[in-house]
Amino acid sequence: MRLAAVVPTLDEEVSLGRTLACAREACDLVVIADGGSSDATSIIALDAGAQWVESNAGRGGQLNTGARAALDHGADVLLFLHADTALPAGARALIERAVAGGAAGGGFEVRFDDPRWIFALGSRIVNLRTRLLRAPLGDQGQFVTREAFLALGGFREWPILEDLDLMRRLRKHGRVEVLRAPATTAARRFVEGGITRTIAINWSIWALYLAGVPPARLARLYPPRSRSRHLR
């Protein structure tokens, strides 16, 4: 199995090094799909041996651009990974086992990089939701087989919620497996935006999306810089 990680970036110099170190250990290829970074993101990526591709800003479009590059290099399985999320040890073996067992895709459970009790509780809630809905998201690491990704037509090029939409469609295509090892993701957005406020915004957007409100309208509820981050 040839496994390729696709990482969308936009000014991610703070956290990208850790993410790439874990991804390089697990994957045969790492593709950075950049949306116009002006910091040291490109230097960090190229020094780590990642392939660099440029895209218009917007995570759905960046992910599709990176996926095309990975598929052109013969990827059998695509692993979509946020720039502030680090894979767990043994990630490759877990993905290989899931795909060999017939999974069309899936992802990991999650934990936050902040030791405070509120984030431990938050990770338990996210993991319970993930198992119940079979919908691991981008900051948990999402993997999809080449065949499933092409059959689904890739990501919808939405400003937010493109990862949730992909998992919802993937569940109708084949089996989605939630891997119990946790990926580690940054808690910084919650810290910067206020924990209670950020959670309230996230869950409100989820509820409105499931009620049929278009993602383009929902994106207005999100602070501009945070739109490159993820909704939990």
Side-chain angles (χ1 to χ4, degrees), residues 112-120:
F112 294 98
D113 63 359
D114 190 306
R116 284 177 284 180
W117 70 268
I118 188 67
F119 291 106

Side-chain angles (χ1 to χ4, degrees), residues 1-4 26-29 74-79 91-100 103 143-147:
M1 184 188 81
R2 184 165 174 79
L3 177 62
C27 301
D28 300 293
L29 172 69
D76 301 304
V77 178
L78 299 167
L79 172 60
R92 183 188 185 97
L94 293 171
I95 293 172
E96 287 180 335
R97 190 176 306 130
V99 172
F143 67 91
V144 186
T145 65
R146 178 190 187 98
E147 293 77 11

Side-chain angles (χ1 to χ4, degrees), residues 197-209:
R197 179 175 179 272
T198 303
I199 291 172
I201 291 173
N202 286 355
W203 286 87
S204 296
I205 290 175
W206 269 61
L208 291 169
Y209 167 68

Side-chain angles (χ1 to χ4, degrees), residues 8 13 22 50 56 102 130 155 157 166 181 204-205 208 215 224:
E13 65 180 8
C22 296
N56 292 330
T130 300
F155 288 92
E157 299 195 1
L166 181 72
S204 296
I205 290 175
L208 291 169

